[in-house]
Amino acid sequence: PQEGPKAKQPAVREAKEVAPPKEQQPGAAPSPATVGEEQREQKKALTRTAPAERGGGLLPAWRFVVEPSFEYDNFTGQNVTISGFTIFEAILIGRVAVEKVKRDIFIPAMTFRLGLANSEINVRIPYLFRQDKIIAPRSGGATNDLVEKNFNDSGLGDIEAYYYYHLIKEGKWRPWVPDVILRVGGHFPTGKDPYSLNRQYDSDFGTTLATEFPTGTGHWGTSFGATFIKSIDPAVVFLNVAYFWNLPRNVGVSGSPPQDFGTVNLGNSFEYSFGLVLALQERLSVNISYNQRFVSRTTSNGVPLTDSGLNAISVKFGGTYVFSPRYTVDLVVGIGLNDDAPRASVLVRMPITF
């Protein structure tokens, strides 16, 4: 056997060459770089539990998610119009002044999401329950002779379908480059349209009122938009922009009693939102966003309808908790900042991953 320090050096070099990296050895502490990378992946995983509209990422290829949800929206207005029908929560056809209307909308829905190669398909099927409480002076009576009436209706809403494509990966060319996700899709007029509603004369209010509510727009619609996502430790910031275009429709005479609506062209809209998602720990994240939607005025036979435009502004606060890789709960509370937006809204989602 060889002796001396020089004889031991080849054995030392050989051991260093065959030994696995320190972070791969059982029981070895991970390096700071590995810990940082794992934390970033955990934060991105948390944002994937939320839909891409709020800044979340897309599903991995062939991952399937069934997402039951429940939404509640509350509207309260003074001196609003109630006769006619509602598109995007605005009264467009017919109007009668009232003192106060309180509107509650409940929307249970099922959303199905399928991950594909660098893309995702999203289909949402909503069902609407709506209740209106109207408080107004009795027709021909004193101003302090108020009448209170409740109206209820429900039905299938407009089904929505979207395709998302992950165009640019974060940091592809420069460190500041965000994820860019494109979106295209639309909604189908599967809900009860606002033109064929039954109406009857109400002697208390002295006008003809609809005895049922619309659950859809009655128009085919399409939209396209983009989401920009950037990781900024310890948060993820996002920006969404989208444009919604509704196809015009020749309604003609409809309803009972019949009314001539002519050719109706719903107002198109532009929407944007921005905010951040903050991972508090490996299972819990919170988010906040600012949302604004501009809706142009609706036209009937080319004539713009008065007070049919919208500028809805709201702030939303939410949280996501991951029970397991398969089950997640997402809660969002919205506060309206003007009369066109819901005064308050609550959304609960429960994505189940397969």
Side-chain angles (χ1 to χ4, degrees), residues 161-162 183-187 221-225 242-245 269:
Y162 289 95
R183 179 183 75 177
V184 63
H187 64 264
T222 185
S223 72
F224 53 90
Y243 184 81
F244 300 85
W245 179 58
S269 62

Side-chain angles (χ1 to χ4, degrees), residues 82-231:
I82 61 171
S83 179
F85 61 86
T86 301
I87 301 295
F88 299 127
E89 274 58 47
I91 303 301
L92 305 182
I93 299 292
R95 54 185 306 175
V96 55
V98 300
E99 289 296 325
K100 178 180 291 187
V101 59
K102 299 179 179 180
R103 176 173 301 157
D104 295 305
I105 301 177
F106 306 88
I107 311 176
M110 289 291 294
T111 301
F112 303 93
R113 302 170 59 195
L114 175 64
L116 302 174
N118 212 36
S119 59
E120 179 183 316
I121 296 176
N122 188 308
V123 178
R124 180 175 179 266
I125 305 175
Y127 195 91
L128 279 74
F129 297 87
R130 174 171 153 181
Q131 175 179 315
D132 280 14
K133 177 184 291 186
I134 302 173
I135 305 172
R138 189 183 304 274
S139 176
T143 56
N144 60 350
D145 182 14
L146 300 179
V147 178
E148 179 178 318
K149 289 193 174 184
N150 293 311
F151 299 87
N152 302 273
D153 202 5
S154 62
L156 177 68
D158 287 349
I159 296 177
E160 302 173 355
Y162 289 95
Y163 175 76
Y164 298 88
Y165 180 73
H166 202 157
L167 180 66
I168 300 176
K169 301 288 186 179
E170 182 178 358
K172 182 176 183 180
W173 298 299
R174 295 289 188 274
W176 52 266
V177 174
D179 280 313
V180 179
I181 298 174
L182 301 182
R183 179 183 75 177
V184 63
H187 64 264
F188 312 98
T190 54
K192 185 189 308 180
D193 72 59
Y195 310 105
S196 57
L197 304 178
N198 292 321
R199 299 171 178 84
Q200 66 181 20
Y201 181 80
D202 190 291
S203 59
D204 290 328
F205 293 141
T207 187
T208 300
L209 297 177
T211 58
E212 53 187 356
F213 294 133
T215 59
T217 64
H219 292 252
W220 293 83
T222 185
S223 72
F224 53 90
T227 298
F228 305 89
I229 309 170
K230 186 71 178 73
S231 299

Side-chain angles (χ1 to χ4, degrees), residues 21 29 46 87 154 169 173 180 184 186 223 246 254 260 270 303 306 324 329 334 339 353:
L46 280 169
I87 301 295
S154 62
K169 301 288 186 179
W173 298 299
V180 179
V184 63
S223 72
N246 296 287
S254 184
D260 186 4
F270 170 77
V303 179
T306 303
S324 69
V329 172
D339 293 337
T353 304

Side-chain angles (χ1 to χ4, degrees), residues 20-98:
K22 184 177 181 180
E23 60 270 19
Q24 297 179 358
Q25 295 181 17
S31 66
T34 303
V35 173
E37 184 65 25
E38 290 177 353
Q39 290 177 344
R40 285 190 292 272
E41 288 301 318
Q42 289 173 357
K43 291 168 185 173
K44 287 187 177 182
L46 280 169
T47 63
R48 293 190 189 104
T49 61
E53 293 90 341
R54 295 196 306 107
L58 302 184
L59 294 173
W62 305 117
R63 189 72 56 84
F64 182 65
V65 170
V66 176
E67 183 180 279
S69 64
F70 180 82
E71 181 179 355
Y72 166 72
D73 297 315
N74 172 263
F75 296 84
T76 301
Q78 297 283 348
N79 298 322
V80 299
T81 59
I82 61 171
S83 179
F85 61 86
T86 301
I87 301 295
F88 299 127
E89 274 58 47
I91 303 301
L92 305 182
I93 299 292
R95 54 185 306 175
V96 55
V98 300

